[in-house]
Amino acid sequence: MASGWGERFAETRYRFMRVSRATGDETEVIRCLKGGSITRNDDTRIKESAEASLVESYDFGPDLVRVHMSVRTVSGATMDAVLGTFLPVVPSVDISGARHTHSLKMYGRLQELLDDKFSRPYTVEQGSDAVAVAAKICTDAGLEVIAEGSDYRTTNVRYYGVGASQSNSETDDSKLGAVNDLLDLAGFRGAHTDAMGRVVLERYRDPADIQTSWDFSEGPSARFEMDMSEEYDYTSAANHVVVRYGGDGDTEAIVAEAWDTDPNSPLSTASRGRTITRAYSYTDLPEGKTDADRRDYASKRAATLLKTAQSVIRRVTMTTAYTPTGINDTVNIEYPTGGVSGKFQIRTQRLSLLGGCPTEVECRQFRRRS
């Protein structure tokens, strides 16, 4: 747990800084922006957005907006947190008679990759480092990148962009679609941005293997409100997975299946009385030097995907004081009075830029069949 952030806040202030697109430096305080909120959602493509009240007109030019929060705790400690770096795009006006309220909508920097497309087919050659190519697409678009290394190399030529054949993937023709497709091949999670607006490329990790970022514990120093909601969702849990490696018409395609037919499993074909299939198709061949190696890899991949597809999602929604956490982080919740306990992963956050930054958080826990 980050030192100091667990204390009660005595004073909280927010400031909006203009960030030069050319240099990345903060150049001035934007005094006409007040209040607002920041929304983070791991299930959306650009992951984050924000809005704030705009008290007078302001020319943002090509530059960005960075949101800071400064805190003084009851013990006198002072801290500063960067809450996000955004692309200002949509000034709007709410009209009620003669009263006009102006606001500014802002998007995370992945919006720049979503808006941008290759004007002609972009080719990724066989044997390319998929993550390195994804990073280059981002840097060529003017974004800073933090990327983990990867040993994965593409096994087929891939094409992206306007006019490219989409048979190689499920992606669209945006640069963000290309980046995320390449990351998926390498076993990485989708691209996301950190608070400074840098694009982060990192491996997918099972939530159980991610070190917790915060402990929410019941008691006098609790950082959450006692009222929360809880639900369980197993409607889309599968009991059959099909994995296919190979392009359309490829006679050497490798297909693997995994089934749950165990009558003792509440999600199995026997228990539910029907088959619920998830299908995954890849044009790149699976890893392995021989066909036997590749079939073995495909079978293991199908089994892993079935395990993931059998997750019963437990969701807990609560309101907390600000904590230095983000989407995809894991947290511990210990709330004995409410019967909520365990390790959860953050899916969404909505930070209100007022007071102590009250944050609506949806956490989820994947309960998989053992």
Side-chain angles (χ1 to χ4, degrees):
M1 183 181 297
S3 176
W5 290 109
E7 293 187 47
R8 187 162 56 88
F9 299 165
E11 182 182 20
T12 306
R13 294 184 178 181
Y14 302 90
R15 68 183 184 278
F16 298 84
M17 300 297 299
R18 181 168 183 156
V19 179
S20 168
R21 179 181 290 276
T23 66
D25 296 333
E26 296 181 359
T27 58
E28 66 176 345
V29 178
I30 305 173
R31 301 189 185 281
C32 60
L33 288 177
K34 305 291 181 182
S37 63
I38 293 172
T39 300
R40 303 166 179 166
N41 188 333
D42 195 42
D43 290 346
T44 62
R45 300 186 70 183
I46 66 170
K47 306 300 183 185
E48 58 181 350
S49 61
E51 61 180 356
S53 296
L54 186 65
V55 298
E56 61 185 42
S57 61
Y58 182 87
D59 182 7
F60 293 92
D63 292 340
L64 308 168
V65 176
R66 180 168 295 150
V67 185
H68 287 258
M69 180 179 73
S70 298
V71 169
R72 179 173 59 83
T73 69
V74 291
S75 70
T78 57
M79 298 171 291
D80 189 273
V82 176
L83 302 182
T85 302
F86 301 95
L87 178 70
V89 288
V90 187
S92 63
V93 182
D94 291 330
I95 301 173
S96 177
R99 180 181 178 182
H100 291 192
T101 303
H102 298 256
S103 62
L104 177 74
K105 293 184 179 179
M106 299 173 276
Y107 296 147
R109 294 206 67 186
L110 291 182
Q111 182 69 40
E112 298 178 42
L113 292 174
L114 185 60
D115 289 339
D116 198 0
K117 300 181 180 182
F118 300 107
S119 59
R120 60 191 63 188
Y122 181 85
T123 304
V124 179
E125 299 294 345
Q126 179 181 353
S128 298
D129 181 334
V131 175
V133 174
K136 185 176 187 303
I137 292 172
C138 296
T139 55
D140 286 350
L143 297 165
E144 187 177 351
V145 175
I146 301 173
E148 294 185 12
S150 170
D151 295 330
Y152 179 82
R153 300 295 182 269
T154 57
T155 60
N156 284 312
V157 178
R158 304 182 74 79
Y159 304 95
Y160 301 101
V162 177
S165 169
Q166 296 303 310
S167 62
N168 65 348
S169 66
E170 296 296 325
T171 188
D172 58 24
D173 57 6
S174 72
K175 290 185 178 180
L176 182 58
V179 166
N180 283 337
D181 183 67
L182 290 164
L183 294 177
D184 182 61
L185 289 174
F188 277 48
R189 62 178 292 208
H192 62 102
T193 43
D194 67 7
M196 300 298 288
R198 298 170 295 199
V199 180
V200 180
L201 312 180
E202 60 184 1
R203 296 178 183 276
Y204 170 79
R205 292 174 175 84
D206 189 293
D209 298 329
I210 300 175
Q211 184 176 357
T212 54
S213 299
W214 195 266
D215 293 324
F216 290 103
S217 299
E218 182 179 2
S221 60
R223 303 288 289 173
F224 63 92
E225 295 182 1
M226 299 297 104
D227 292 335
M228 59 176 63
S229 64
E230 180 182 28
E231 68 176 21
Y232 291 85
D233 182 4
Y234 64 91
T235 54
S236 60
N239 47 35
H240 177 222
V241 161
V242 180
V243 176
R244 184 184 189 277
Y245 291 88
D248 294 338
D250 187 350
T251 57
E252 297 181 355
I254 294 175
V255 179
E257 294 181 83
W259 291 84
D260 178 11
T261 58
D262 184 356
N264 294 317
S265 165
L267 303 176
S268 69
T269 54
S271 297
R272 302 191 76 176
R274 61 193 181 100
T275 299
I276 304 172
T277 303
R278 294 274 186 89
Y280 303 85
S281 181
Y282 308 93
T283 54
D284 279 29
L285 293 174
E287 295 179 4
K289 296 181 179 180
T290 68
D291 283 345
D293 290 338
R294 291 170 176 169
R295 283 193 294 271
D296 182 60
Y297 178 92
S299 295
K300 290 178 179 178
R301 179 67 171 160
T304 298
L305 289 170
L306 177 61
K307 181 179 178 181
T308 301
Q310 290 205 302
S311 298
V312 175
I313 303 174
R314 180 191 186 192
R315 295 188 180 92
V316 170
T317 303
M318 60 184 180
T319 299
T320 75
Y322 173 79
T323 59
T325 58
I327 55 175
N328 203 54
D329 284 353
T330 59
V331 297
N332 284 321
I333 301 176
E334 295 299 332
Y335 182 23
T337 301
V340 179
S341 177
K343 183 177 183 179
F344 293 79
Q345 187 171 39
I346 296 174
R347 187 185 76 87
T348 66
Q349 292 177 313
R350 185 179 185 278
L351 291 71
S352 296
L353 305 181
L354 53 84
C357 195
T359 305
E360 298 175 14
V361 184
E362 182 193 298
C363 301
R364 57 187 174 185
Q365 184 183 68
F366 297 93
R367 293 189 167 184
R368 294 174 180 153
R369 174 177 174 266
S370 61

